[in-house]
């Protein structure tokens, strides 16, 4: 990868870290309110900034990274299987693991979780990334954070079939399919209603930014101004402004992180930590609920309900440290093992498929 390429990915890792921290902080704030309902400043801090915009940032980043990292796959033989193996090995193992852990906690300590469990078909749909309705009417998987991964899997499913074309045509085709999904007029089918939400257009924004990378180069001052303007825009707009505000600001932030000049300055200690946290952002996203609940239980048992600032700091520090340690010590090895299994499985499928076709021809 070129130095410019390394710079773009570095910017994305930093943005990934802040996006994961933003989403985590929103959930920790909400939990802190339950710990000490009389601390109204927590509610104000939670309600007056759209911390959940980190999810929008993740979706734009995903669109960018999928196009950017698939450069050698467009129009290449075996591109579909190579892409599927890479993405499944990256996303599925940790999600299945955290979903199973959540299920165990739900069945043994139901009072410690939110929502209600559905039947076997609902649980199976959660593992398969199929949007399904909970008994209380909310379209959400067993492990609630998985709703974002249901969108990710839709994006991967659409994109993998577009890899047969050149990069520009593939982006155009994938964007067209996602845009068409949003035009379905209030379908009765849960899957289409969920996948047809305008938030899927944020993947398109990321894909378009990937096409612009290397062609549009912003100065450091312009990138800083763009990023600052995006954050200020989020701060002054109502938190429930919706896609135009959140998606637009997320796209601006990703543009500021990716459309820059190459940097020859070695990263300092703080930047190195932030980059490591960016690498571990998926782990942080899926594990921070377990950390914040465990810390909340400890504070409750110790009768420390009034120490909410200490609770916030404890959750953030422990969640980050745990995410980085688990990512480098466990997740990467688990993903590598999953990739080997998937490669063997796809190889066997490719070997058996011609044999099946030959048998059918006879």
């Amino acid at each position: 990868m070129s130095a410019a390429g390394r710079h773009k990915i570095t910017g994305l890792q930093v943005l990934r870290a802040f996006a994961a921290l933003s989403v985590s902080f929103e959930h920790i704030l909400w939990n802190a309110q339950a710990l000490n309902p009389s601390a109204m400043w927590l509610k104000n801090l939670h309600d007056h900034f759209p911390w959940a915009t980190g999810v929008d940032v993740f979706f734009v980043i995903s669109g960018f990274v999928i196009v950017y990292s698939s450069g050698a796959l467009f129009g290449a033989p075996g591109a579909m299987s190579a892409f599927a193996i890479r993405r499944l090995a990256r996303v599925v193992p940790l999600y299945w693991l955290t979903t199973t852990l959540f299920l165990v906690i739900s069945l043994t300590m139901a009072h410690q979780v939110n929502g209600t469990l559905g039947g076997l078909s609902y649980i199976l749909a959660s593992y398969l990334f199929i949007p399904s309705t909970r008994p209380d009417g909310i379209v959400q998987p067993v492990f609630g954070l998985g709703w974002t991964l249901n969108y990710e899997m839709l994006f991967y499913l659409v994109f993998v079939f577009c890899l047969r074309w050149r990069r520009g045509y593939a982006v155009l085709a994938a964007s067209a399919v996602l845009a068409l999904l949003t035009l379905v007029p209030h379908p009765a089918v849960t899957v289409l209603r969920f996948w047809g939400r305008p938030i899927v257009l944020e993947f398109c924004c990321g894909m378009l930014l990937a096409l612009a990378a290397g062609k549009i180069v912003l100065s450091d001052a312009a990138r800083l101004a763009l990023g600052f303007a995006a954050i200020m825009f989020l701060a002054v707009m109502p938190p429930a402004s919706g896609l135009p505000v959140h998606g637009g600001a997320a796209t601006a932030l990703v543009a500021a992180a990716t459309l820059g000049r190459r940097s020859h300055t070695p990263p300092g200690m703080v930047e190195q930590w932030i980059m490591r946290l960016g690498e571990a952002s998926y782990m942080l996203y899926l594990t921070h609920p377990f950390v914040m609940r465990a810390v909340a239980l400890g504070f409750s048992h110790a009768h420390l309900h009034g120490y909410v600032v200490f609770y916030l700091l404890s959750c953030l520090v422990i969640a980050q440290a745990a995410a980085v340690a688990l990512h480098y010590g466990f997740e990467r090895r688990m993903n590598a093992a999953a990739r080997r299994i998937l490669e063997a499985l796809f190889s066997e499928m490719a070997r058996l498929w011609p044999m099946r076709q030959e048998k059918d021809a006879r």
Side-chain angles (χ1 to χ4, degrees), residues 96-110 113 116-120 122-124 126-127 141-143 290:
W96 279 4
L97 188 61
T98 50
T99 295
T100 302
L101 177 59
F102 186 85
L103 266 175
V104 171
I105 294 173
S106 299
L107 294 172
T108 57
M109 297 181 291
V113 300
T116 54
L117 287 179
L120 184 59
Y122 166 72
I123 294 173
L124 182 60
S126 297
Y127 278 99
V142 169
F143 185 33
F290 301 102

Side-chain angles (χ1 to χ4, degrees), residues 9-45:
I9 295 299
T10 298
L12 284 183
Q13 296 295 43
V14 172
L15 192 55
R16 271 178 170 151
F18 284 109
L21 284 173
S22 179
V23 175
S24 302
F25 189 60
E26 189 212 15
H27 296 154
I28 294 169
L29 275 175
W30 183 88
N31 215 50
Q33 293 176 62
L35 189 68
N36 187 357
S38 63
M40 294 304 297
W41 65 271
L42 289 171
K43 186 177 188 305
N44 293 331
L45 184 59

Side-chain angles (χ1 to χ4, degrees), residues 10 122 191 199 360:
T10 298
Y122 166 72
V191 171
I199 197 171
D360 291 343

Side-chain angles (χ1 to χ4, degrees), residues 130-134 136-140 147 150-151 154 178 180-200:
I130 300 172
S132 187
T133 306
R134 289 192 329 200
D136 58 6
I138 299 176
V139 181
Q140 198 173 72
W147 72 268
N150 288 347
Y151 283 116
L154 165 69
L178 293 174
L180 285 173
L181 278 174
T182 67
L183 300 178
V184 177
H186 305 290
V189 181
T190 299
V191 171
L192 292 178
R193 187 170 66 251
F194 181 86
W195 280 338
R197 292 174 183 168
I199 197 171
V200 298

Side-chain angles (χ1 to χ4, degrees), residues 2 16 24 79 118 171 198 205 212 230-231 245 251 262 265 273 317 356:
S2 66
R16 271 178 170 151
S24 302
V171 169
C205 295
I231 294 173
V245 171
T251 302
R262 69 180 65 182
T265 305
W273 172 257
V317 171
R356 175 64 183 271

Side-chain angles (χ1 to χ4, degrees), residues 4 38 50 53 78 81 109 133 136 156 161 173 178 194 197 203 205 220 228-229 287 302 310 339 341:
S38 63
T53 303
S81 60
M109 297 181 291
T133 306
D136 58 6
Y156 298 160
F161 288 103
L178 293 174
F194 181 86
R197 292 174 183 168
F203 296 116
C205 295
D220 290 344
F228 181 77
T287 58
F310 186 44
R339 188 163 184 166
I341 293 171

